[in-house]
Amino acid sequence: MHSGDLSNIACRDLTISVPGRTLIDSLGIELGKGEFVAILGPNGVGKSLALHTFAGIRPAQTGTIELQGKPLNEYSRHEIALGLALLPQYTEDIFPATVIDTVMIGRHPHIGRFRWETKTDREIARQSLEQVDLLELWDRDVLTLSGGERRRLAVAQVLTQSASIYLLDEPTNHLDPQHQLDVLKIFRGKADNGDTVLASLHDVNLASRFADRCLLLFGDGRWEIGDTASVLTGETLSKLYATAMETVPWRDTKVFVASG
């Protein structure tokens, strides 16, 4: 996938529905290089469906997804996998496999059909495990890992894919506070180096800390996007989550507390 003057990924007039209900109506956004955008909203508003639609694994009711200004459906799945990585909300391990073998799955788009992985592929996998503090467990069976360790392994697998667009569905799921911060710092660093990150989050304060912009989904078709500082207010968040959210000064910034 080539870099170009256009934003990495965009949607035009995108509508996402479930039976009897429109979750997102006529969404139009462009995500530029070097941007970290958080998706916020209560359960069931379409955060996961939006990410799956952006990744091209779920059709939209209307609208198009574009990569580098070209419709997503004009790319092969292999081309998409070279430039776009999706971290799903849940991952399952059905068969025994080691940590290193599991993280190496992320290299598959870069390895030809009749090739074995190279020393470079293995080094990228090793670095990804090191980033999420799992390198010492490289030879462990994934079925013996805790939920948090398995989540970090899924993050490492996505990092091993070496994409330029990262779609992350609740990347901090199952993680303790320190590892939540560590993972989001990794992807903040990716954005700072020119990649594009779109992540659904439940923690408003983490979004406030790491995201450049926030996309708010209300679940009834309405949506709002804007700079994090301007979009995240007590009034807007109270409407979004249908509960009172208060803004509390903290150090040189602010935090949001549910008080309803």
Side-chain angles (χ1 to χ4, degrees), residues 34 188-195:
R188 179 67 260 178
K190 289 284 186 184
D192 290 341
N193 286 324
D195 292 334

Side-chain angles (χ1 to χ4, degrees), residues 65-231:
I65 306 292
E66 297 177 358
L67 297 181
Q68 304 295 9
K70 178 179 168 181
L72 185 68
N73 59 16
E74 294 184 13
Y75 290 95
S76 69
R77 288 311 307 179
H78 179 253
E79 288 175 320
I80 292 171
L82 286 173
L84 185 152
L86 171 67
L87 174 69
Q89 187 175 151
Y90 304 107
T91 54
E92 292 186 10
D93 299 301
I94 301 174
F95 303 106
T98 64
V99 165
I100 188 65
D101 287 339
T102 301
V103 80
M104 279 297 300
I105 293 172
R107 295 305 299 165
H108 284 184
H110 303 272
I111 299 173
R113 183 175 298 177
F114 302 108
R115 274 187 54 215
W116 292 100
E117 65 265 14
T118 66
K119 182 185 283 189
T120 298
D121 294 320
R122 304 282 289 191
E123 178 60 21
I124 290 171
R126 191 197 69 79
Q127 290 174 0
S128 297
L129 287 174
E130 189 171 35
Q131 281 185 280
V132 300
D133 194 26
L134 283 180
L135 186 57
E136 291 184 359
L137 304 183
W138 69 274
D139 59 346
R140 277 268 297 273
D141 188 327
V142 295
L143 298 180
T144 69
L145 300 180
S146 70
E149 289 169 340
R150 184 61 190 89
R151 191 57 175 165
R152 282 150 51 203
L153 178 57
V155 169
Q157 188 180 100
V158 165
L159 292 172
T160 302
Q161 198 170 329
S162 301
S164 57
I165 301 170
Y166 292 92
L167 307 180
L168 313 173
D169 197 354
E170 296 188 28
T172 57
N173 210 9
H174 300 303
L175 299 185
D176 58 58
Q178 184 58 59
H179 284 115
Q180 289 182 11
L181 292 175
D182 289 345
V183 164
L184 291 180
K185 285 176 183 177
I186 289 170
F187 288 105
R188 179 67 260 178
K190 289 284 186 184
D192 290 341
N193 286 324
D195 292 334
T196 303
V197 179
L198 178 63
S200 68
L201 297 173
H202 272 303
D203 191 321
V204 175
N205 292 305
L206 289 177
S208 177
R209 178 170 176 176
F210 289 99
D212 301 300
R213 290 192 292 163
C214 290
L215 170 62
L216 310 184
L217 301 180
F218 291 85
D220 57 1
R222 292 179 298 141
W223 54 274
E224 181 178 345
I225 189 167
D227 293 342
T228 297
S230 60
V231 168

